[in-house]
Amino acid sequence: MASFCKLSFFLILFPFLAHVCTASSSEFEVGGDDGWVVPKSKDDDAQMYNHWASGKRFKTGDTLQFKYKKDSVMEVSEEEYKKCRSSRPLMYSNNGNTMVKLDRPGLYYFISGVSGHCERGQKMIIKVLEPVAATPPHPQNQTNTTPGSSKKNAATTASPTAVLLLIFSFSGFIFSQF
């Protein structure tokens, strides 16, 4: 009976632990179902891809998937993005299914490498968010000297390691009782 309880406990706990302990990253298909294509008209769709990107939250570790036919994708500098051309792109691919790993926070600039496509709106800026930094703990005996202000305690967040240690300590205590 005790081994059944232990097994049940870990089977229930495992999905939670897997979620807490793994860093999640996402894969985004650029342009959604339409993919990486030339917008139908420059006037209506000039910002089509920037509009698509503005509805997403990109973080370090995420991947962009560019799906296209008879086209290409280039990662370029901001200046080259504005000019819609590049003689030395940071990245170039024309394989029809390009995967780009977002490996740093900041701005990424993408354009089509086919002449005239960028000018018609086949370009995009991606903003990758800075990772959330842990705030340093505030000393408990710190006093506020500003008139009219009140002392507030800083909120603390448990790290995945601390959560795991707490769970395993608790589970060890429970199972030692059987």
Side-chain angles (χ1 to χ4, degrees):
M1 178 68 176
S3 62
F4 176 73
C5 289
K6 288 179 186 178
L7 179 62
S8 298
F9 180 76
F10 283 110
L11 288 176
I12 292 169
L13 188 63
F14 183 75
F16 171 75
L17 293 175
H19 176 72
V20 168
C21 296
T22 58
S24 64
S25 60
S26 300
E27 185 174 297
F28 296 91
E29 187 172 335
V30 174
D33 293 337
D34 293 332
W36 182 244
V37 296
V38 181
K40 292 177 180 34
S41 77
K42 183 179 178 183
D43 297 331
D44 295 337
D45 300 322
Q47 294 296 316
M48 177 173 119
Y49 291 103
N50 287 335
H51 179 71
W52 172 85
S54 70
K56 314 286 184 269
R57 292 183 58 92
F58 302 100
K59 59 189 178 310
T60 303
D62 286 347
T63 304
L64 300 176
Q65 181 179 27
F66 292 83
K67 288 186 176 181
Y68 50 91
K69 295 178 182 169
K70 297 181 182 177
D71 209 320
S72 63
V73 62
M74 298 191 300
E75 182 183 351
V76 297
S77 69
E78 180 181 9
E79 183 179 323
E80 293 168 322
Y81 175 87
K82 290 176 181 177
K83 291 180 181 178
C84 267
R85 66 177 175 270
S86 174
S87 58
R88 295 186 184 179
L90 302 170
M91 183 277 306
Y92 172 84
S93 180
N94 65 352
N95 67 8
N97 187 20
T98 302
M99 304 295 281
V100 177
K101 182 103 170 173
L102 303 173
D103 58 2
R104 60 172 173 77
L107 298 175
Y108 289 75
Y109 299 90
F110 297 98
I111 63 173
S112 170
V114 174
S115 180
H117 287 195
C118 178
E119 291 83 357
R120 290 180 51 200
Q122 194 176 3
K123 60 184 183 174
M124 174 178 67
I125 301 171
I126 295 289
K127 181 178 183 179
V128 177
L129 301 173
E130 292 280 342
V132 178
T135 57
H138 297 291
Q140 293 297 324
N141 61 356
Q142 181 180 3
T143 59
N144 252 334
T145 57
T146 308
S149 64
S150 62
K151 181 179 173 183
K152 294 184 180 179
N153 291 334
T156 57
T157 305
S159 71
T161 305
V163 171
L164 282 175
L165 287 173
L166 180 65
I167 290 170
F168 285 130
S169 297
F170 182 69
S171 63
F173 173 75
I174 289 174
F175 293 130
S176 69
Q177 303 302 313
F178 288 110

